[in-house]
Amino acid sequence: MYIKHSRIDRLFITVNTILLTLAVLIVVVPLVYVVIASFMDPTVLLSKGISFHVSDWSMEGYNLILSNPAMVRGFANAVFYSVSFALITSAVSIFAGYALSVSDLVGRNAFMTLFVITMFFSGGLIPTYMLVKNLGMLDTVWAIIIPGVVNVWNIILARTFFKGIPNELKEAANVDGASELLIFFKIVLPLSKPIVFVIALYAFVGQWNSYFDAMIYLDNAKLHPLQLVLRSILIQNQAPPGMISDQLAMNELKRLSEMIKYSSIVISSLPLIVMYPFFQKYFEKGVMVGSLK
Amino acid sequence: MRKNYFLYLLLAPALILTLVFKYIPMYGAIIAFKDFNPIQGIWGSDWVGFKYFTKFLTSPNFGDIFLNTLKISFYGLILGFPVPIILAVMLNQIRKAGIKKNVQLALYAPNFISVVVVVGMIFIFMSPTGPINQMISSMTGKPLMFMSDPAYFRSIYILSGIWQAAGWSSIIYVAALANVDPELHNAASLDGANILQRIRHIDLPTIRPIMAIVFILAAGGIMSVGFEKAYLMQTSMNLPASEIIPTYVYKVGLQSGDYAYSAAVGLFNSVINVILMISVNFVVKKLNEGEGLY
């Protein structure tokens, strides 16, 4: 059964298509511009702008970035922080989420309240900083990985997921004499791959993109993650150390700094850009489960 | 009961980390009422009551910083709140599933870019020699000083925020709309309702409860504007418009070491946040037939 569209409907569909196309262009054009610009010959880019002649292309920006120790170290640090943070966060959230999903856990609601309160109230920047300092975590990797591990949203996500696992499954095991420990490791955990994946993915992206904790907690440049290195290049306009020697002329400096900016943006976003289309449905799933609790 | 020991064990890491990293700082917030002395520690330092709150409220900066914070988030909320809803309603009208998926893929992408990169792109695009100014100067002859003129700060901050987040924020509405029974639309069409009428009488009522919750949460966060982005976008020239309470807390506290004063300013900010959320929840509940967040 197909209903013939009225004139208003056809007009609406046309306007809708135009507006959505516009929205997509607004979002995509700046991103594509950066990617193309990163492959341009810097001199051509400064004088003519973007060009599609093969002779105007160059890998100079990438050569500079990939041979820069600060950038490479930042990348390695970011991988380390993001992976370990994702692992710890998903483990802690899954454990807590499962415990809170078992309905005969005494004090379940009190614990839940305790967690939820922290979504609305916080001690604030200064008291948190003082705590981290007093714990002796300043200038250590722990300051980056540990304080943010508990994200109540993740715990709610996990709890909702486990509540969806049919109780009969656990009861049957219980009748067979399996302990809670056995039930968790043999029955629940194998079923929870999707939720572990969703939480780990979110944690990874969040940590990969963050700069603030590193900025306030880490003095030692050797520990800096990629985003902090990027910040000095993109926003403070500093060439990363060891990149540009002082005998280079001003023009050369300007030429190179533009190149470095574009290619460092692409390099830093590359892991997420590559991951993103494959994992889109998991990201969406995370939003859904979290919001429709 | 015995078997629950294991469950408490599972709960322990999250519980301990929460007590340490969330509740100890809440306790630590009393530093705002003390003349903090590092040797005596938080507990041993002398109480000074509301001294630091008064200091902030009477300081010559207060009016500007407070208004900057309010304006950025208020305009951000008013402009940013409807966009994801409109996007979702428009996406819902795409009939071909493949096209819809690709459009969504594109619109969600900026959400995965870091703040540093977004602000970096803003600086590149908005610089006096950047692509946007190349267009402007070819028309008007002179570039606009986007990043150093306070007049532009708010617009750039808010519009780039919408650019980055609107697509992703629309997901939740898109999902709700996907759950609408197609029979409802078919029946309405048979009765002669056009698309606009069906959006108004079927789609919008469906997502109204979600709109209410999203709005309350956003309004509750009105004072906690993205510190990270504002801080990155600040230049010494645009400070009159870009200094907001969170950036001020950071500068006074961590850069100048005035812990107690800075904590007081931060606490003041949180209190306003909570008050805002409670009042918005109250109003929305009245307007929304008793449906609020709590």
Side-chain angles (χ1 to χ4, degrees):
Chain A
M1 180 186 66
Y2 187 74
I3 294 142
K4 228 180 80 188
H5 289 300
S6 67
R7 219 174 61 218
I8 296 182
D9 286 4
R10 280 197 306 266
L11 183 69
F12 176 90
I13 291 170
T14 315
V15 173
N16 195 40
T17 311
I18 295 172
L19 287 180
L20 274 175
T21 312
L22 221 68
V24 170
L25 285 178
I26 291 172
V27 164
V28 170
V29 166
L31 300 176
V32 173
Y33 181 92
V34 171
V35 175
I36 297 180
S38 73
F39 287 103
M40 293 285 301
D41 182 305
T43 324
V44 178
L45 185 70
L46 279 179
S47 57
K48 295 196 301 194
I50 288 212
S51 137
F52 293 95
H53 294 289
V54 182
S55 60
D56 295 335
W57 296 349
S58 146
M59 294 293 284
E60 201 174 350
Y62 289 96
N63 289 337
L64 281 167
I65 285 293
L66 293 174
S67 60
N68 176 258
M71 195 73 189
V72 173
R73 197 169 48 216
F75 199 94
N77 286 342
V79 171
F80 173 72
Y81 295 142
S82 308
V83 170
S84 30
F85 181 74
L87 287 175
I88 300 176
T89 298
S90 41
V92 170
S93 321
I94 296 294
F95 292 169
Y98 175 67
L100 290 169
S101 78
V102 179
S103 50
D104 55 355
L105 182 82
V106 179
R108 196 167 65 120
N109 289 332
F111 290 128
M112 205 55 216
T113 313
L114 204 77
F115 286 119
V116 171
I117 285 176
T118 65
M119 294 175 95
F120 298 99
F121 298 94
S122 81
L125 176 68
I126 301 300
T128 310
Y129 177 83
M130 290 175 68
L131 173 73
V132 171
K133 189 176 165 188
N134 290 339
L135 289 174
M137 288 170 37
L138 282 192
D139 244 346
T140 68
V141 297
W142 304 114
I144 305 301
I145 298 174
I146 299 300
V149 157
V150 178
N151 178 334
V152 179
W153 192 70
N154 285 338
I155 295 181
I156 294 176
L157 214 66
R159 191 180 76 137
T160 312
F161 177 86
F162 291 126
K163 276 188 171 168
I165 293 180
N167 237 342
E168 291 75 33
L169 221 58
K170 281 159 48 179
E171 272 161 18
N174 217 338
V175 170
D176 290 344
S179 63
E180 275 289 338
L181 184 135
L182 213 63
I183 294 176
F184 179 72
F185 282 106
K186 287 274 159 93
I187 298 173
V188 175
L189 219 47
L191 286 173
S192 56
K193 269 183 214 132
I195 193 68
V196 175
F197 197 60
V198 166
I199 293 176
L201 211 55
Y202 268 94
F204 181 90
V205 173
Q207 187 63 260
W208 184 268
N209 281 340
S210 75
Y211 79 95
F212 184 64
D213 285 353
M215 179 177 93
I216 61 175
Y217 296 137
L218 300 180
D219 249 350
N220 184 352
K222 287 207 164 74
L223 296 175
H224 283 179
L226 188 59
Q227 298 296 334
L228 266 194
V229 182
L230 270 182
R231 172 175 154 241
S232 64
I233 299 175
L234 292 177
I235 290 154
Q236 299 170 326
N237 261 317
Q238 292 162 353
M243 176 95 58
I244 291 166
S245 55
D246 43 14
Q247 59 261 54
L248 284 175
M250 273 303 284
N251 264 347
E252 182 71 354
L253 203 94
K254 190 177 173 202
R255 196 175 78 92
L256 289 177
S257 78
E258 284 299 296
M259 279 337 286
I260 293 165
K261 283 181 183 176
Y262 286 116
S263 35
S264 60
I265 288 181
V266 175
I267 295 256
S268 75
S269 313
L270 202 63
L272 301 187
I273 294 173
V274 172
M275 270 163 66
Y276 167 60
F278 299 105
F279 295 149
Q280 192 202 0
K281 61 170 189 250
Y282 295 101
F283 285 123
E284 286 184 29
K285 206 152 92 189
V287 176
M288 302 311 19
V289 185
S291 58
L292 305 174
K293 51 177 174 185
Chain B
M1 185 63 205
R2 240 194 88 79
K3 65 172 188 176
N4 279 347
Y5 287 144
F6 175 66
L7 294 178
Y8 289 116
L9 209 63
L10 285 182
L11 192 59
L15 205 59
I16 292 168
L17 287 170
T18 300
L19 289 176
V20 173
F21 289 104
K22 303 286 187 210
Y23 281 91
I24 291 181
M26 282 189 211
Y27 159 78
I30 61 166
I31 190 183
F33 302 96
K34 295 211 157 198
D35 233 340
F36 179 65
N37 175 336
I39 299 159
Q40 292 164 304
I42 295 179
W43 191 239
S45 298
D46 297 328
W47 289 98
V48 290
F50 285 93
K51 175 179 151 190
Y52 289 111
F53 292 87
T54 321
K55 183 178 163 192
F56 178 52
L57 291 172
T58 54
S59 84
N61 298 332
F62 172 74
D64 284 343
I65 297 177
F66 185 68
L67 279 180
N68 280 342
T69 316
L70 260 187
K71 278 189 201 160
I72 285 188
S73 27
F74 179 75
Y75 292 136
L77 180 64
I78 296 302
L79 293 172
F81 176 71
V83 181
I85 300 171
I86 297 169
L87 274 181
V89 169
M90 295 198 320
L91 280 167
N92 192 44
Q93 293 298 332
I94 303 183
R95 287 287 159 257
K96 292 206 178 71
I99 296 181
K100 183 174 172 186
K101 209 183 149 241
N102 283 321
V103 172
Q104 283 174 292
L105 197 70
L107 292 180
Y108 299 165
N111 181 62
F112 294 95
I113 301 171
S114 73
V115 214
V116 175
V117 165
V118 169
V119 177
M121 283 169 62
I122 293 174
F123 272 103
I124 294 177
F125 288 143
M126 302 282 173
S127 90
T129 55
I132 292 181
N133 262 322
Q134 278 172 10
M135 278 190 287
I136 292 176
S137 26
S138 72
M139 284 185 291
T140 65
K142 62 172 195 295
L144 296 174
M145 296 295 135
F146 286 115
M147 298 317 287
S148 52
D149 187 340
Y152 298 112
F153 178 82
R154 224 167 0 246
S155 314
I156 297 176
Y157 182 95
I158 292 170
L159 292 178
S160 61
I162 294 176
W163 177 83
Q164 186 173 20
W168 190 248
S169 318
S170 72
I171 285 191
I172 176 169
Y173 301 112
V174 171
L177 287 173
N179 286 333
V180 175
D181 185 357
E183 281 305 311
L184 227 51
H185 278 282
N186 280 340
S189 309
L190 285 177
D191 289 341
N194 63 35
I195 294 185
L196 283 175
Q197 286 163 327
R198 280 185 276 136
I199 287 174
R200 193 168 149 221
H201 296 290
I202 301 174
D203 287 350
L204 290 183
T206 307
I207 53 178
R208 204 167 78 167
I210 299 177
M211 281 162 60
I213 289 171
V214 172
F215 189 79
I216 296 166
L217 287 176
I222 213 164
M223 298 297 286
S224 44
V225 243
F227 162 83
E228 305 202 351
K229 192 171 153 202
Y231 181 69
L232 292 173
M233 280 180 67
Q234 274 183 356
T235 62
S236 52
M237 314 275 278
N238 68 23
L239 225 46
S242 65
E243 189 78 294
I244 55 178
I245 296 180
T247 55
Y248 186 66
V249 169
Y250 170 70
K251 285 179 195 165
V252 178
L254 294 187
Q255 290 185 337
S256 325
D258 202 344
Y259 286 176
Y261 177 49
S262 173
V265 178
L267 200 58
F268 168 82
N269 200 40
S270 321
V271 169
I272 294 196
N273 242 342
V274 173
I275 294 174
L276 272 173
M277 184 147 86
I278 293 172
S279 8
V280 171
N281 188 54
F282 178 79
V283 174
V284 170
K285 234 169 157 173
K286 286 265 177 260
L287 296 176
N288 202 23
E289 296 150 8
E291 287 277 338
L293 187 59
Y294 45 85

